[in-house]
DNA sequence: AATCTATCCAACCGCTTTTAA
DNA sequence: GTTAAAAGCGGTTGGATAGAT
Protein backbone atom coordinates (compact mmCIF):
# COMPACT_ATOMS: atom_id res chain seq x y z
CA UNK A 1 0.00 0.00 0.00
CA UNK A 2 1.39 3.32 -0.99
CA UNK A 3 2.51 5.70 1.67
CA UNK A 4 0.32 8.68 2.11
CA UNK A 5 1.53 12.19 2.49
CA UNK A 6 1.66 14.01 5.79
CA UNK A 7 -1.40 16.01 4.70
CA UNK A 8 -3.38 12.83 4.18
CA UNK A 9 -2.31 11.36 7.49
CA UNK A 10 -3.36 14.40 9.41
CA UNK A 11 -6.41 15.07 7.26
CA UNK A 12 -5.10 18.50 6.51
CA UNK A 13 -6.33 20.83 3.88
CA UNK A 14 -4.81 20.47 0.43
CA UNK A 15 -5.07 22.14 -2.93
CA UNK A 16 -5.08 25.79 -3.79
CA UNK A 17 -4.53 28.34 -1.09
CA UNK A 18 -7.26 30.79 -0.27
CA UNK A 19 -6.47 34.49 0.24
CA UNK A 20 -7.30 34.05 3.91
CA UNK A 21 -4.75 31.29 4.28
CA UNK A 22 -2.17 33.38 2.48
CA UNK A 23 -2.84 36.25 4.80
CA UNK A 24 -2.53 34.09 7.88
CA UNK A 25 0.74 32.67 6.70
CA UNK A 26 2.15 36.03 5.72
CA UNK A 27 1.11 37.63 8.96
CA UNK A 28 2.62 34.85 10.96
CA UNK A 29 5.93 34.92 9.15
CA UNK A 30 6.06 38.69 9.20
CA UNK A 31 5.60 38.59 12.92
CA UNK A 32 7.61 35.57 14.01
CA UNK A 33 9.54 34.34 11.01
CA UNK A 34 8.97 30.81 9.86
CA UNK A 35 11.26 29.10 12.35
CA UNK A 36 10.51 25.42 12.23
CA UNK A 37 8.14 24.87 9.35
CA UNK A 38 6.40 21.96 10.98
CA UNK A 39 5.19 24.26 13.73
CA UNK A 40 4.14 27.08 11.44
CA UNK A 41 0.67 25.83 10.51
CA UNK A 42 -0.30 25.31 14.12
CA UNK A 43 1.01 28.68 15.22
CA UNK A 44 -0.49 30.44 12.22
CA UNK A 45 -3.86 28.76 12.59
CA UNK A 46 -3.67 26.90 9.32
CA UNK A 47 -4.90 23.43 8.54
CA UNK A 48 -1.95 22.70 6.33
CA UNK A 49 1.20 20.71 6.75
CA UNK A 50 4.45 22.56 7.30
CA UNK A 51 5.74 21.39 4.00
CA UNK A 52 2.82 22.96 2.20
CA UNK A 53 3.34 26.23 4.10
CA UNK A 54 6.99 26.27 3.24
CA UNK A 55 6.26 25.71 -0.43
CA UNK A 56 3.62 28.39 -0.51
CA UNK A 57 5.96 30.87 1.10
CA UNK A 58 8.93 30.07 -1.08
CA UNK A 59 7.08 29.90 -4.36
CA UNK A 60 4.43 32.54 -3.95
CA UNK A 61 4.36 34.71 -0.85
CA UNK A 62 8.00 35.63 -0.37
CA UNK A 63 8.29 39.39 -0.78
CA UNK A 64 11.45 39.26 -2.88
CA UNK A 65 9.87 37.29 -5.69
CA UNK A 66 10.01 38.95 -9.05
CA UNK A 67 6.95 37.38 -10.70
CA UNK A 68 5.99 38.22 -14.25
CA UNK A 69 7.39 36.93 -17.48
CA UNK A 70 11.00 35.99 -17.90
CA UNK A 71 13.23 38.42 -19.73
CA UNK A 72 15.31 37.38 -22.70
CA UNK A 73 18.42 37.58 -20.54
CA UNK A 74 16.87 35.29 -17.97
CA UNK A 75 15.81 32.86 -20.65
CA UNK A 76 19.29 32.77 -22.14
CA UNK A 77 20.83 32.29 -18.76
CA UNK A 78 18.49 29.43 -17.92
CA UNK A 79 19.32 27.67 -21.15
CA UNK A 80 22.97 28.13 -20.62
CA UNK A 81 22.95 27.05 -17.00
CA UNK A 82 20.84 24.05 -17.88
CA UNK A 83 23.46 23.00 -20.39
CA UNK A 84 25.96 23.07 -17.57
CA UNK A 85 23.96 21.78 -14.64
CA UNK A 86 21.13 19.74 -16.07
CA UNK A 87 17.86 19.72 -14.15
CA UNK A 88 19.35 21.33 -11.08
CA UNK A 89 16.53 23.79 -10.85
CA UNK A 90 17.37 25.16 -7.46
CA UNK A 91 20.90 25.92 -8.53
CA UNK A 92 19.74 27.51 -11.73
CA UNK A 93 17.16 29.54 -9.87
CA UNK A 94 19.83 30.68 -7.43
CA UNK A 95 21.40 32.59 -10.28
CA UNK A 96 18.14 34.32 -11.08
CA UNK A 97 17.23 36.63 -8.22
CA UNK A 98 13.54 36.70 -7.51
CA UNK A 99 12.87 33.45 -9.31
CA UNK A 100 12.07 30.13 -7.73
CA UNK A 101 13.16 26.70 -8.76
CA UNK A 102 9.55 25.81 -9.43
CA UNK A 103 9.10 28.82 -11.65
CA UNK A 104 12.26 28.08 -13.60
CA UNK A 105 11.30 24.46 -13.94
CA UNK A 106 7.84 25.31 -15.20
CA UNK A 107 9.24 27.85 -17.60
CA UNK A 108 11.65 25.29 -18.91
CA UNK A 109 9.06 22.59 -19.36
CA UNK A 110 6.38 24.76 -20.85
CA UNK A 111 8.34 27.15 -22.99
CA UNK A 112 12.08 26.70 -23.40
CA UNK A 113 11.92 23.02 -24.28
CA UNK A 114 9.58 23.81 -27.08
CA UNK A 115 11.68 26.67 -28.32
CA UNK A 116 14.82 24.56 -28.38
CA UNK A 117 13.12 21.78 -30.28
CA UNK A 118 11.91 24.28 -32.81
CA UNK A 119 15.51 25.30 -33.29
CA UNK A 120 16.55 21.69 -33.72
CA UNK A 121 18.16 21.40 -30.30
CA UNK A 122 17.50 18.51 -28.02
CA UNK A 123 16.61 20.19 -24.71
CA UNK A 124 17.86 17.24 -22.73
CA UNK A 125 21.34 17.16 -24.20
CA UNK A 126 21.61 20.60 -25.80
CA UNK A 127 22.85 18.84 -28.86
CA UNK A 128 21.37 19.12 -32.32
CA UNK A 129 18.49 16.75 -32.70
CA UNK A 130 19.48 13.66 -34.64
CA UNK A 131 18.22 13.77 -38.17
CA UNK A 132 17.86 10.57 -40.15
CA UNK A 133 19.82 10.07 -43.36
CA UNK A 134 21.56 13.37 -43.46
CA UNK A 135 24.58 13.43 -45.71
CA UNK A 136 27.76 14.27 -43.86
CA UNK A 137 29.00 17.75 -44.52
CA UNK A 138 32.52 19.10 -44.43
CA UNK A 139 33.45 19.30 -40.82
CA UNK A 140 33.79 23.00 -40.15
CA UNK A 141 32.55 24.77 -43.17
CA UNK A 142 28.96 25.63 -42.47
CA UNK A 143 28.92 25.75 -38.71
CA UNK A 144 29.08 29.28 -37.49
CA UNK A 145 30.95 30.10 -34.34
CA UNK A 146 27.58 30.41 -32.75
CA UNK A 147 27.01 26.78 -33.46
CA UNK A 148 28.62 25.91 -30.25
CA UNK A 149 27.35 22.49 -29.43
CA UNK A 150 27.60 21.34 -32.99
CA UNK A 151 31.18 22.44 -32.98
CA UNK A 152 31.93 20.65 -29.83
CA UNK A 153 30.91 17.42 -31.37
CA UNK A 154 33.56 17.78 -33.95
CA UNK A 155 36.28 17.67 -31.34
CA UNK A 156 37.32 14.17 -30.44
CA UNK A 157 37.96 13.58 -26.79
CA UNK A 158 40.71 11.34 -25.61
CA UNK A 159 39.15 10.44 -22.32
CA UNK A 160 35.62 9.45 -21.45
CA UNK A 161 33.36 12.28 -20.56
CA UNK A 162 32.64 12.30 -16.87
CA UNK A 163 29.11 11.17 -16.41
CA UNK A 164 28.57 12.88 -13.12
CA UNK A 165 27.57 16.50 -13.13
CA UNK A 166 30.31 18.80 -12.15
CA UNK A 167 29.42 19.87 -8.67
CA UNK A 168 29.76 23.31 -7.30
CA UNK A 169 28.90 26.61 -8.85
CA UNK A 170 31.09 25.71 -11.71
CA UNK A 171 31.44 28.84 -13.65
CA UNK A 172 29.98 31.47 -11.48
CA UNK A 173 31.09 34.64 -12.98
CA UNK A 174 32.20 32.96 -16.11
CA UNK A 175 28.90 31.34 -16.91
CA UNK A 176 27.20 34.65 -16.79
CA UNK A 177 29.10 35.95 -19.70
CA UNK A 178 26.90 37.33 -22.37
CA UNK A 179 26.13 34.54 -24.71
CA UNK A 180 24.57 34.73 -28.06
CA UNK A 181 21.83 32.21 -27.96
CA UNK A 182 21.10 31.98 -31.61
CA UNK A 183 21.79 28.34 -31.53
CA UNK A 184 22.50 26.03 -34.38
CA UNK A 185 20.25 23.76 -36.24
CA UNK A 186 21.76 20.46 -37.23
CA UNK A 187 22.04 21.45 -40.79
CA UNK A 188 25.38 19.90 -41.41
CA UNK A 189 24.50 16.43 -40.32
CA UNK A 190 26.85 15.94 -37.43
CA UNK A 191 27.23 12.22 -36.83
CA UNK A 192 24.70 11.21 -34.25
CA UNK A 193 27.06 8.86 -32.51
CA UNK A 194 28.74 11.80 -30.93
CA UNK A 195 25.60 13.51 -29.84
CA UNK A 196 24.71 11.68 -26.73
CA UNK A 197 27.41 12.86 -24.42
CA UNK A 198 26.60 14.76 -21.33
CA UNK A 199 27.61 18.32 -21.87
CA UNK A 200 28.37 19.83 -18.50
CA UNK A 201 31.86 20.65 -19.47
CA UNK A 202 30.98 21.17 -23.03
CA UNK A 203 29.19 24.12 -21.68
CA UNK A 204 32.51 25.40 -20.53
CA UNK A 205 33.59 25.28 -24.13
CA UNK A 206 30.61 27.40 -24.84
CA UNK A 207 31.62 30.06 -22.41
CA UNK A 208 35.11 30.39 -23.58
CA UNK A 209 33.87 30.65 -27.08
CA UNK A 210 31.58 33.44 -26.11
CA UNK A 211 34.43 35.09 -24.31
CA UNK A 212 36.56 34.91 -27.37
CA UNK A 213 33.79 36.29 -29.48
CA UNK A 214 33.54 39.27 -27.27
CA UNK A 215 37.21 39.84 -27.43
CA UNK A 216 36.94 39.90 -31.19
CA UNK A 217 33.87 42.12 -31.06
CA UNK A 218 32.31 39.91 -33.65
CA UNK A 219 28.79 40.08 -32.45
CA UNK A 220 26.73 43.17 -32.64
CA UNK A 221 25.76 43.88 -29.12
CA UNK A 222 26.20 42.68 -25.60
CA UNK A 223 23.47 41.17 -23.59
CA UNK A 224 23.22 43.38 -20.60
CA UNK A 225 22.04 41.65 -17.50
CA UNK A 226 19.13 42.88 -15.55
CA UNK A 227 20.14 45.64 -13.22
CA UNK A 228 18.27 43.93 -10.48
CA UNK A 229 20.52 40.95 -10.67
CA UNK A 230 22.97 41.82 -8.02
CA UNK A 231 24.64 38.45 -7.83
CA UNK A 232 24.95 38.30 -11.57
CA UNK A 233 26.55 41.68 -11.77
CA UNK A 234 28.96 41.06 -9.01
CA UNK A 235 29.91 37.73 -10.45
CA UNK A 236 30.42 39.33 -13.79
CA UNK A 237 32.54 42.00 -12.27
CA UNK A 238 34.59 39.32 -10.63
CA UNK A 239 34.96 37.47 -13.89
CA UNK A 240 36.02 40.66 -15.54
CA UNK A 241 38.63 41.19 -12.93
CA UNK A 242 39.99 37.71 -13.31
CA UNK A 243 39.73 37.33 -17.02
CA UNK A 244 41.66 40.32 -18.14
CA UNK A 245 44.67 38.22 -18.88
CA UNK A 246 42.70 35.73 -20.85
CA UNK A 247 40.85 37.93 -23.16
CA UNK A 248 43.32 40.73 -23.26
CA UNK A 249 40.38 43.06 -23.23
CA UNK A 250 37.26 43.91 -21.43
CA UNK A 251 33.72 42.82 -21.80
CA UNK A 252 31.72 45.83 -22.76
CA UNK A 253 28.76 45.35 -20.51
CA UNK A 254 31.04 44.94 -17.57
CA UNK A 255 31.83 48.55 -17.75
CA UNK A 256 28.66 48.81 -15.77
CA UNK A 257 30.92 47.43 -13.11
CA UNK A 258 30.83 48.51 -9.56
CA UNK A 259 28.63 51.50 -10.08
CA UNK A 260 25.91 49.37 -11.59
CA UNK A 261 26.25 47.03 -8.71
CA UNK A 262 25.95 49.89 -6.33
CA UNK A 263 22.90 51.12 -8.15
CA UNK A 264 21.36 47.74 -7.91
CA UNK A 265 20.84 48.37 -4.26
CA UNK A 266 21.96 46.97 -0.99
CA UNK A 267 23.53 43.61 -0.56
CA UNK A 268 20.55 41.58 0.36
CA UNK A 269 21.19 38.61 2.50
CA UNK A 270 19.49 36.43 -0.03
CA UNK A 271 22.43 36.98 -2.35
CA UNK A 272 25.03 36.04 0.17
CA UNK A 273 25.21 32.54 -1.21
CA UNK A 274 25.83 33.78 -4.68
CA UNK A 275 28.62 35.96 -3.41
CA UNK A 276 30.14 33.05 -1.58
CA UNK A 277 30.21 31.18 -4.81
CA UNK A 278 32.44 33.73 -6.42
CA UNK A 279 35.43 31.86 -5.22
CA UNK A 280 34.53 29.25 -7.76
CA UNK A 281 34.95 31.71 -10.53
CA UNK A 282 38.30 32.64 -9.11
CA UNK A 283 39.29 29.05 -9.10
CA UNK A 284 37.89 28.34 -12.48
CA UNK A 285 39.66 31.32 -13.85
CA UNK A 286 43.01 30.29 -12.48
CA UNK A 287 42.48 26.79 -13.77
CA UNK A 288 41.70 28.18 -17.16
CA UNK A 289 44.74 30.40 -17.16
CA UNK A 290 46.92 27.47 -16.30
CA UNK A 291 45.35 25.50 -19.07
CA UNK A 292 45.69 28.32 -21.51
CA UNK A 293 49.38 28.41 -20.85
CA UNK A 294 49.50 24.81 -21.92
CA UNK A 295 47.69 25.46 -25.11
CA UNK A 296 48.95 23.16 -27.76
CA UNK A 297 50.25 20.63 -25.33
CA UNK A 298 48.99 17.34 -26.63
CA UNK A 299 49.03 15.56 -23.32
CA UNK A 300 45.98 17.41 -22.13
CA UNK A 301 43.34 14.97 -21.09
CA UNK A 302 40.28 16.94 -20.19
CA UNK A 303 37.54 18.73 -22.04
CA UNK A 304 37.98 21.05 -24.93
CA UNK A 305 37.73 24.75 -24.76
CA UNK A 306 37.46 26.94 -27.76
CA UNK A 307 39.92 29.60 -26.97
CA UNK A 308 42.20 30.01 -29.91
CA UNK A 309 41.91 31.57 -33.26
CA UNK A 310 40.72 29.70 -36.30
CA UNK A 311 38.70 27.33 -34.21
CA UNK A 312 41.72 25.62 -32.82
CA UNK A 313 40.53 23.82 -29.74
CA UNK A 314 42.27 24.55 -26.50
CA UNK A 315 42.31 21.82 -23.92
CA UNK A 316 42.60 21.95 -20.25
CA UNK A 317 42.52 19.42 -17.54
CA UNK A 318 39.32 19.57 -15.58
CA UNK A 319 40.52 17.11 -13.02
CA UNK A 320 42.14 19.98 -11.24
CA UNK A 321 38.75 21.54 -10.96
CA UNK A 322 37.16 18.51 -9.48
CA UNK A 323 39.92 18.16 -6.95
CA UNK A 324 39.42 21.61 -5.59
CA UNK A 325 36.97 22.14 -2.85
C1' DA B 1 -23.05 28.85 -27.29
C1' DA B 2 -21.09 24.52 -26.32
C1' DT B 3 -17.44 21.45 -26.47
C1' DC B 4 -12.80 20.05 -27.05
C1' DT B 5 -7.84 20.67 -26.77
C1' DA B 6 -3.61 22.70 -25.40
C1' DT B 7 -1.07 25.25 -22.23
C1' DC B 8 0.37 27.07 -17.94
C1' DC B 9 1.53 26.85 -13.29
C1' DA B 10 0.51 25.97 -8.34
C1' DA B 11 0.76 22.30 -5.54
C1' DC B 12 1.68 17.63 -4.31
C1' DC B 13 4.54 13.39 -3.87
C1' DG B 14 8.30 10.90 -2.66
C1' DC B 15 13.08 10.65 -2.39
C1' DT B 16 17.56 12.47 -0.63
C1' DT B 17 20.27 15.27 2.28
C1' DT B 18 21.07 17.75 6.41
C1' DT B 19 20.61 18.62 11.17
C1' DA B 20 19.73 17.75 15.90
C1' DA B 21 19.13 14.71 19.75
C1' DG C 1 27.69 6.31 15.56
C1' DT C 2 22.69 5.99 15.14
C1' DT C 3 18.23 7.57 14.46
C1' DA C 4 14.44 10.59 13.62
C1' DA C 5 12.81 14.87 12.12
C1' DA C 6 13.16 18.69 9.18
C1' DA C 7 14.40 20.73 5.05
C1' DG C 8 15.44 20.61 0.27
C1' DC C 9 14.85 19.03 -4.26
C1' DG C 10 13.10 17.38 -8.73
C1' DG C 11 9.39 14.94 -11.08
C1' DT C 12 4.64 14.80 -11.74
C1' DT C 13 -0.23 15.91 -11.45
C1' DG C 14 -4.42 18.32 -11.85
C1' DG C 15 -7.18 22.48 -12.12
C1' DA C 16 -7.86 26.88 -14.39
C1' DT C 17 -7.84 29.24 -18.47
C1' DA C 18 -7.45 30.49 -23.37
C1' DG C 19 -8.01 29.38 -27.91
C1' DA C 20 -9.81 26.45 -31.57
C1' DT C 21 -13.51 23.98 -33.63
Amino acid sequence: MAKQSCCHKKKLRRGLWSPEEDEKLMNHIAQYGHGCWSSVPKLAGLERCGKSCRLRWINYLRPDLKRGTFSQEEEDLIIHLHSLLGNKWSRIAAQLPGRTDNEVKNFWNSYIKKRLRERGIDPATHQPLAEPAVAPAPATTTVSRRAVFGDVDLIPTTTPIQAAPFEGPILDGVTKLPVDMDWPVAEDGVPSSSLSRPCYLQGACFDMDALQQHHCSSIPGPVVPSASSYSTLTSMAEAEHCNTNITGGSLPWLELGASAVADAGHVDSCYAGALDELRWSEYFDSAFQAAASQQGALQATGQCVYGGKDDVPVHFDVHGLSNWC
Side-chain angles (χ1 to χ4, degrees), chain A residues 80-88 91-92 165-166 168-170 200:
Chain A
H80 183 49
L81 290 173
H82 186 272
S83 75
L84 298 170
L85 301 167
N87 295 357
K88 299 292 179 187
R91 289 180 62 190
I92 294 172
F166 186 79
I170 313 170
Y200 298 105

Side-chain angles (χ1 to χ4, degrees), chain A residues 169-251:
Chain A
I170 313 170
L171 301 175
D172 241 338
V174 180
T175 53
K176 290 165 199 153
L177 295 171
V179 169
D180 189 332
M181 284 300 180
D182 188 6
W183 283 8
V185 176
E187 60 191 37
D188 61 342
V190 174
S192 62
S193 60
S194 64
L195 297 182
S196 58
R197 290 176 290 157
C199 56
Y200 298 105
L201 267 297
Q202 289 172 15
C205 303
F206 192 61
D207 281 316
M208 295 310 156
D209 191 33
L211 199 64
Q212 183 69 17
Q213 285 189 35
H214 269 274
H215 176 45
C216 300
S217 302
S218 61
I219 59 175
V223 177
V224 179
S226 158
S228 66
S229 176
Y230 178 84
S231 61
T232 300
L233 285 169
T234 50
S235 297
M236 287 171 171
E238 186 76 11
E240 161 78 335
H241 172 71
C242 295
N243 283 326
T244 305
N245 292 338
I246 300 173
T247 64
S250 63
L251 304 174

Side-chain angles (χ1 to χ4, degrees), chain A residues 4-18:
Chain A
Q4 290 199 314
S5 72
C6 53
C7 302
H8 272 113
K9 285 177 195 168
K10 297 169 188 171
K11 294 179 179 174
L12 297 172
R13 196 177 139 77
R14 300 169 70 239
L16 294 178
W17 281 64
S18 69

